[in-house]
Structure formats: structure tokens, C-alpha cells
Amino acid sequence: IRQINKVVQRISHDEHLLNKMASKDPLTNLYTRRIFNEHFELEVSNSKRYNTTAFIVLIDVDHFKNVNDAHGHNAGDIVLKEIGKLILSLCRESDLACRFGGEEFVILVKSGHLSDVKVLAERVRSTIEKMPFYIDDKQSLSITISAGISCYTETTDNCLEIISAADKALYRAKNSGRNRICIAENENKE
């Protein structure tokens, strides 16, 4: 029996470790895209059922390839890690901050108004713009981000449409000069 208990404890420990590894990005310590997808689908379903609003803020680091090319991938990792910490520190407990992929991040804002989401996105943008990113003892980089905001609306059929709307808003931000936030064109909900 003692041996069986040890095996059960070990399996439980390993299962917990595997779940953590699958849910958290090891570099940024933010949730993974898989976790975002699960929570986002649930939140959109709840928004439909209870007539609430779920928002996403899709964030992309401006000119990130230049950081890696000029300073190496270690510098890029430092930038991503620090941005992850900053995003996490600025979100509410009810928000879900995730690494979406590469140099993209997403924040799922589970309730609130568009004006509150714009304030959050602007706080992230302006804080990153002002923050020095130290890549070694002597050198720091200036980094900016662009972001797109979208939300569930009654005319939205699925999660992919909401992500696509945020992505289009993000690219509008990039195409209009970067270091800015744009709101999806169909967002009228306050």
C-alpha cells in the first residue's frame, strides 16, 4: 500500500506539472493561446447567454524582428519577458493575459465597457513606450507596441470573427504609424 501511495503521489505531481507546462508560456509566464481559446469560447458563450460584453486586446511588438536581428534572440527574449510581466501587472484579476504567438499578446477582458478597455490598452501602450528594456548592463532598447480592440456583438457568429476584427484593427494601427491602438470598425458598444 505504501508503494502504491508513492506512485499515486508521483503521478499526481507529474500531472500537475504537465498541466502547468501546457497552460503557461515558459518565457513570459503568461497563459498560452490554448488557454486563451478555451476561456474565450466560454466567455463569448456567456456573453450571448447573459447579454454581456467580452473584449479582446490584441497586441503586437512593433519592429520586433529588428530587435532580434540587431541584438540577438536573447535580447528579444528579454523584451518579451518584460512585456509579459508588465501586461500581467496592469490587468485586473478577472482579465486573462496570454501570449498569443511570437511577439503577439492578447488580453481577454471579461466584462466592462469599451472606454475601460481603451484605458487598459493605452496604459499598456504608454507604459511600454516609456520603459527602458535593458538587454545588458550598458544597453537598453526603446520598444513600442500596436494594438487592436474588438468585442463580442450580437452580430458576431463566432470567436474567429472577433479575433479577425481585432487583427484588422491591429494592422490599421501598424499601417497608420505604429505605437497606437485602433478599435475594430464594428464596435459601437459602450
mmCIF file of all heavy atoms in Angstrom, residues 7 34 44 72 74-75 134 154:
data_model
loop_
_atom_site.group_PDB
_atom_site.id
_atom_site.type_symbol
_atom_site.label_atom_id
_atom_site.label_comp_id
_atom_site.label_asym_id
_atom_site.label_seq_id
_atom_site.Cartn_x
_atom_site.Cartn_y
_atom_site.Cartn_z
ATOM 1 N N VAL A 7 3.447 5.960 -5.725
ATOM 2 C CA VAL A 7 3.220 6.013 -7.171
ATOM 3 C C VAL A 7 2.083 6.991 -7.485
ATOM 4 O O VAL A 7 2.179 7.809 -8.402
ATOM 5 C CB VAL A 7 2.925 4.600 -7.741
ATOM 6 C CG1 VAL A 7 2.445 4.678 -9.178
ATOM 7 C CG2 VAL A 7 4.158 3.719 -7.622
ATOM 8 N N ARG A 34 -3.698 28.228 -26.156
ATOM 9 C CA ARG A 34 -4.682 27.173 -25.908
ATOM 10 C C ARG A 34 -5.619 27.567 -24.771
ATOM 11 O O ARG A 34 -6.841 27.419 -24.866
ATOM 12 C CB ARG A 34 -3.971 25.856 -25.577
ATOM 13 C CG ARG A 34 -4.913 24.692 -25.340
ATOM 14 C CD ARG A 34 -4.160 23.411 -25.005
ATOM 15 N NE ARG A 34 -3.503 23.456 -23.715
ATOM 16 C CZ ARG A 34 -4.113 23.213 -22.549
ATOM 17 N NH1 ARG A 34 -5.400 22.929 -22.519
ATOM 18 N NH2 ARG A 34 -3.452 23.246 -21.418
ATOM 19 N N VAL A 44 -17.450 34.120 -24.732
ATOM 20 C CA VAL A 44 -18.372 34.504 -25.810
ATOM 21 C C VAL A 44 -19.718 33.820 -25.605
ATOM 22 O O VAL A 44 -20.779 34.439 -25.764
ATOM 23 C CB VAL A 44 -17.772 34.196 -27.198
ATOM 24 C CG1 VAL A 44 -18.822 34.298 -28.295
ATOM 25 C CG2 VAL A 44 -16.611 35.152 -27.488
ATOM 26 N N GLY A 72 20.200 40.128 -31.255
ATOM 27 C CA GLY A 72 20.173 38.697 -30.966
ATOM 28 C C GLY A 72 18.872 38.259 -30.309
ATOM 29 O O GLY A 72 18.115 39.068 -29.774
ATOM 30 N N ASN A 74 18.436 36.520 -27.642
ATOM 31 C CA ASN A 74 18.406 36.686 -26.191
ATOM 32 C C ASN A 74 17.797 38.045 -25.822
ATOM 33 O O ASN A 74 16.995 38.144 -24.889
ATOM 34 C CB ASN A 74 19.806 36.537 -25.584
ATOM 35 C CG ASN A 74 19.765 36.515 -24.079
ATOM 36 O OD1 ASN A 74 19.000 35.763 -23.494
ATOM 37 N ND2 ASN A 74 20.585 37.348 -23.446
ATOM 38 N N ALA A 75 18.178 39.087 -26.573
ATOM 39 C CA ALA A 75 17.590 40.408 -26.339
ATOM 40 C C ALA A 75 16.091 40.383 -26.612
ATOM 41 O O ALA A 75 15.295 40.955 -25.855
ATOM 42 C CB ALA A 75 18.273 41.461 -27.216
ATOM 43 N N TYR A 134 16.350 46.808 -20.679
ATOM 44 C CA TYR A 134 17.782 46.575 -20.530
ATOM 45 C C TYR A 134 18.139 45.195 -21.065
ATOM 46 O O TYR A 134 17.711 44.186 -20.515
ATOM 47 C CB TYR A 134 18.197 46.712 -19.069
ATOM 48 C CG TYR A 134 18.080 48.143 -18.592
ATOM 49 C CD1 TYR A 134 16.955 48.564 -17.896
ATOM 50 C CD2 TYR A 134 19.075 49.062 -18.872
ATOM 51 C CE1 TYR A 134 16.831 49.880 -17.481
ATOM 52 C CE2 TYR A 134 18.964 50.381 -18.465
ATOM 53 C CZ TYR A 134 17.837 50.787 -17.775
ATOM 54 O OH TYR A 134 17.712 52.092 -17.384
ATOM 55 N N GLU A 154 -23.851 41.262 -30.946
ATOM 56 C CA GLU A 154 -24.972 40.389 -31.307
ATOM 57 C C GLU A 154 -24.849 39.860 -32.729
ATOM 58 O O GLU A 154 -25.397 38.828 -33.070
ATOM 59 C CB GLU A 154 -26.317 41.128 -31.155
ATOM 60 C CG GLU A 154 -26.676 41.477 -29.730
ATOM 61 C CD GLU A 154 -25.982 42.749 -29.234
ATOM 62 O OE1 GLU A 154 -25.442 43.515 -30.039
ATOM 63 O OE2 GLU A 154 -25.988 42.949 -28.002
#
